[in-house]
Amino acid sequence: MTVLITGGAGYIGSHCCVAFLQAGYDIVVVDNLSNSNRMSLERIEAITGQKIKCEIADIRNQDNLERILKAHNCEAVVHFAGLKAVGESTQIPLAYYENNVVGTHTLLSAMANSGVKQMIFSSSATVYGEPQFLPLTEDHPTSAVNPYGRTKLMIEEMLRDVAASDPQWRFGILRYFNPVGAHHSGQIGENPLGIPNNLMPFITQVADGRREQLAVFGNDYETRDGTGVRDYIHVTDLVEGHLRAHEVLASGSARSNCFAVNLGTGNGYSVLEMVKAFERASNKEIRFSFAPRRDGDVAECYANTELAEELLDWKAERDLDAMCRDTWNWVCKNPRGYEAPST
Ligand code: NAD
Ligand code: UDP
């Protein structure tokens, strides 16, 4: 079976390509390289020993997508392509609605015209807004506090409407908690452009000397040490969840043709616990100072993982030390990301 992977050159998409290739699927990557590097595709080939088909293309070009879906006989889609920076989404909201919402609409239209009716979609725990209870179950009310989150909610609703219109459609909406880590080979990993917004890439840049210190946003939350708590999940576990979701959808065994499921570990770690864990893994001191809370941040966020276990027969296995170790391995082997050969 051939699976189209949009955004397959990006951070999570590249790891997903490896997982699907190693599980025996043929894949076709569609990526416009707006936030990624061609080199990641070569690394996927190096890890798997397999050639991948890649189309440098934009998901907003429907005719081209239809051509690609038909030319490669694609039977399913895993859809990662989109913009993902919360702060940026408040500055250029139209670009977010266009890439994420219009892009997904265009992709769905191309799929409909090509008779491809199965999609896994990258959603986010951000759709839960301020937690009313923890751990977060999939039936927790949804809300969004920024344009990025609203694009995820709109797409989720679009998928539910399409699923309701025709039982042949099959959608797996996967709500990621905080993906971190890298492939254990150190060949592919997260490669943020500019100043990282997220905690783990920022910590890595303090560890390798690119940044002086980490600003810890808030130390007065009602958490065990006052700093924000999140559910960090190893990207390898995360993409194994995609593989399982794909298999469940393809087998027709899901109890509905559109499900939303959390992909997290169920464990929350504070910012200071992350700093300590990374110091252990890297043997480097992570200098930090406390700074005011960041707008829009919640105190705590972690997943209830029961539905994922029941529906997908999947559970995250890698612990925090593995997440930090694999991240550090990737950074040490690629101090300038994909810009230079792996050392
Ligand atoms: P990423 O930026 O590394 O990957 C996205 C890829 O999509 C990039 O390679 C980019 O070039 C490509 N792309 C963007 N717009 C495109 C377009 N219009 N046409 C074709 N390609 C396009 O991001 P990631 O971290 O791998 O995230 C993948 C998905 O997971 C995104 O949808 C993101 O919103 C979602 N997600 C990510 C996180 C996270 O923390 N990384 C958390 C929750 C959800
Ligand atoms: N955080 C921080 N300093 C940073 C980046 C993040 O203290 O430079 C904190 C942030 O306030 C949150 C946690 O780290 O409590 C995870 O933040 P991230 O942006 O990685 O994920 P998200 O907030 O989207 O869950």
Side-chain angles (χ1 to χ4, degrees), residues 16-338:
C16 192
C17 289
V18 170
F20 274 67
L21 284 169
Q22 289 181 336
Y25 291 97
D26 289 327
I27 62 167
V28 181
V29 168
V30 167
D31 200 302
N32 66 1
L33 302 181
S34 59
N35 196 38
S36 51
N37 190 303
R38 234 175 240 281
M39 185 73 78
S40 68
L41 302 166
E42 291 175 24
R43 301 284 182 83
I44 296 165
E45 292 183 340
I47 292 169
T48 60
Q50 297 182 52
K51 276 264 169 234
I52 53 174
K53 295 168 202 139
C54 181
E55 303 261 2
I56 306 303
D58 198 292
I59 57 162
R60 290 165 291 176
N61 182 336
Q62 187 177 329
D63 289 345
N64 198 30
L65 282 180
E66 284 179 27
R67 178 191 63 76
I68 294 167
L69 286 163
K70 288 175 189 154
H72 297 283
N73 287 320
C74 297
E75 290 180 66
V77 173
V78 187
H79 177 33
F80 295 102
L83 303 180
K84 63 163 184 176
V86 171
E88 185 185 61
S89 77
T90 65
Q91 305 300 313
I92 47 167
L94 290 179
Y96 274 69
Y97 287 111
E98 161 133 41
N99 258 281
N100 296 4
V101 181
V102 176
T104 305
H105 177 275
T106 306
L107 173 60
L108 287 166
S109 305
M111 290 171 66
N113 288 346
S114 315
V116 180
K117 293 197 165 176
Q118 178 177 316
M119 179 196 275
I120 289 174
F121 171 63
S122 304
S123 189
S124 165
T126 194
V127 301
Y128 294 121
E130 178 81 42
Q132 294 173 18
F133 56 81
L134 287 164
L136 288 157
T137 50
E138 287 79 357
D139 58 5
H140 183 285
T142 53
S143 71
V145 293
N146 53 62
Y148 168 72
R150 271 187 280 279
T151 67
K152 293 294 180 193
L153 272 182
M154 285 179 189
I155 295 167
E156 285 202 7
E157 290 189 0
M158 185 157 58
L159 300 184
R160 277 189 281 272
D161 285 340
V162 174
S165 74
D166 173 358
Q168 287 188 340
W169 281 98
R170 293 190 288 238
F171 295 111
I173 296 169
L174 305 183
R175 294 176 175 160
Y176 309 161
F177 280 67
N178 289 62
V180 295
H183 190 264
H184 63 83
S185 66
Q187 292 287 305
I188 53 173
E190 191 170 13
N191 184 33
L193 306 171
I195 303 171
N197 297 304
N198 294 112
L199 179 64
M200 186 63 117
F202 205 103
I203 288 179
T204 64
Q205 296 196 2
V206 176
D208 74 5
R210 263 180 289 176
R211 312 223 170 252
E212 276 275 296
Q213 60 173 5
L214 170 74
V216 176
F217 299 140
N219 62 346
D220 57 353
Y221 286 110
E222 280 189 25
T223 59
R224 49 187 173 266
D225 60 21
T227 66
V229 167
R230 296 289 182 278
D231 183 341
Y232 298 92
I233 175 168
H234 197 298
V235 64
T236 303
D237 281 326
L238 189 82
V239 298
E240 282 169 5
H242 288 63
L243 197 53
R244 282 298 304 139
H246 169 83
E247 287 163 359
V248 167
L249 285 177
S251 70
S253 63
R255 57 177 175 239
S256 96
N257 69 331
C258 182
F259 60 76
V261 65
N262 291 337
L263 295 186
T265 65
N267 304 313
Y269 290 102
S270 73
V271 176
L272 294 183
E273 287 167 341
M274 292 300 286
V275 167
K276 291 283 159 260
F278 205 84
E279 286 184 333
R280 276 198 306 278
S282 63
N283 217 10
K284 298 273 182 190
E285 185 196 358
I286 308 298
R287 296 189 54 208
F288 67 87
S289 63
F290 292 115
R293 292 180 181 193
R294 183 171 66 178
D295 273 355
D297 270 359
V298 302
E300 278 193 280
C301 175
Y302 50 91
N304 179 305
T305 59
E306 284 168 19
L307 188 63
E309 284 173 44
E310 185 199 323
L311 210 64
L312 309 181
D313 191 23
W314 167 91
K315 200 173 172 358
E317 285 169 358
R318 292 161 181 84
D319 64 12
L320 189 56
D321 288 333
M323 298 179 210
C324 294
R325 193 177 55 239
D326 289 339
T327 304
W328 186 234
N329 182 41
W330 150 252
V331 172
C332 290
K333 287 187 167 149
N334 303 273
R336 286 189 286 136
Y338 288 115

